[in-house]
Amino acid sequence: MFLAMDTVFDQCSIAILDSSGQVLSNYTETGKRQQTQQILPMIDAALSEAQLRLADIQALIFNRGPGAFSGIRINTAVVQALSVAHDLPCVGVSSLQAIAQSAYQHYGLTHLYSALDARMQQVYFGQYELVVNDQLGYSTMQPVLADGSDSTEQLLNYDSQTALNLPIAGNGAPLLARHDQQACHEDVWPDAVIIGQLGVAQFANVGGTEAAQALPKYLRNQAWKTLKEQGKA
């Protein structure tokens, strides 16, 4: 059994899944103002509905970003605390990969760009394509190097144009300059179920990490600083 959580996508979302990716319990509350108050009671409610305890959980899965600093900090801190307290491994899942996986499940897209609004005139961006693993029984969207970059996750300025005329998923899609007839799916918004399914596949493939290695991914080196401290104000 796996416990998955997301507070990065302006929501508090909790899911419990088995090793096949089937959902045993799932709770999502939209909005980010009450995440710190919501997350632990929602974990308790999900465990109760699934008739499980934390001792029954094999690994903790969380959205490690990139995305909103406060949202990443909340679910990362909770995962690290639960990991230490209950000696559970952690699995961090990319928010951009989650967008791609959600687009695959909802629209059948197998090769696309993920774009998440990063504010400050930029989007978080990555390119993904479907990989089928018959041995594990999972089909997951995996990152590929995009647009000549040496990183699978990057920051792009608003109005940048993609190298290929692939569909773009995520709320950052309309912020980019698109090719003629380039599909835009800005309504794709993953929850903890998507995070959990990707984490289950990742755990089956490479295992998890200890709490000290369950690290967030911000992309912006100064994400923890105020706008004034960054020289933006």
Side-chain angles (χ1 to χ4, degrees), residues 147-209:
D147 294 2
S149 171
D150 59 358
S151 174
T152 57
E153 296 176 325
Q154 57 185 299
L155 281 164
L156 287 186
N157 293 328
Y158 285 0
D159 295 325
S160 297
Q161 189 174 61
T162 60
L164 303 175
N165 193 352
L166 297 173
I168 313 174
N171 71 347
L175 303 175
L176 298 173
R178 283 174 282 161
H179 298 276
D180 290 342
Q181 300 182 335
Q182 187 171 17
C184 174
H185 299 283
E186 61 184 292
D187 60 326
V188 173
W189 203 247
D191 59 9
V193 171
I194 296 290
I195 299 293
Q197 290 170 341
L198 287 170
V200 169
Q202 184 174 318
F203 186 82
N205 190 34
V206 298
T209 65

Side-chain angles (χ1 to χ4, degrees), residues 2-186:
F2 297 83
L3 171 61
M5 62 191 76
D6 169 60
T7 56
V8 176
F9 288 112
D10 291 349
Q11 63 189 358
C12 190
S13 185
I14 305 296
I16 296 177
L17 308 92
D18 64 19
S19 59
S20 68
Q22 294 298 308
V23 180
L24 285 77
S25 181
N26 179 30
Y27 288 88
T28 296
E29 294 287 343
T30 58
K32 58 185 179 181
R33 293 182 179 229
Q34 302 297 318
Q35 289 172 322
T36 53
Q37 290 80 25
Q38 292 171 330
I39 188 166
L40 292 178
M42 288 175 67
I43 289 173
D44 287 340
L47 288 168
S48 178
E49 181 178 341
Q51 299 182 342
L52 297 171
R53 302 170 301 158
L54 279 170
D56 301 315
I57 298 298
Q58 188 172 11
L60 303 167
I61 303 169
F62 70 105
N63 186 341
R64 54 93 168 144
F69 171 74
S70 58
I72 297 173
R73 181 181 60 187
I74 290 168
N75 66 187
T76 302
V78 170
V79 161
Q80 289 174 334
L82 293 178
S83 173
V84 171
H86 299 276
D87 193 25
L88 294 171
C90 308
V91 181
V93 171
S94 164
S95 58
L96 294 174
Q97 185 186 18
I99 290 172
Q101 187 72 17
S102 185
Y104 162 63
Q105 293 188 9
H106 286 91
Y107 294 105
L109 303 176
T110 58
H111 193 187
L112 57 81
Y113 295 114
S114 287
L116 178 63
D117 189 4
R119 313 298 181 185
M120 297 170 60
Q121 302 297 305
Q122 291 181 310
V123 298
Y124 301 115
F125 180 82
Q127 182 178 335
Y128 293 83
E129 58 185 3
L130 189 69
V131 173
V132 178
N133 191 319
D134 294 328
Q135 183 178 358
L136 295 177
Y138 299 117
S139 296
T140 57
M141 298 294 284
Q142 294 295 323
V144 297
L145 292 176
D147 294 2
S149 171
D150 59 358
S151 174
T152 57
E153 296 176 325
Q154 57 185 299
L155 281 164
L156 287 186
N157 293 328
Y158 285 0
D159 295 325
S160 297
Q161 189 174 61
T162 60
L164 303 175
N165 193 352
L166 297 173
I168 313 174
N171 71 347
L175 303 175
L176 298 173
R178 283 174 282 161
H179 298 276
D180 290 342
Q181 300 182 335
Q182 187 171 17
C184 174
H185 299 283
E186 61 184 292

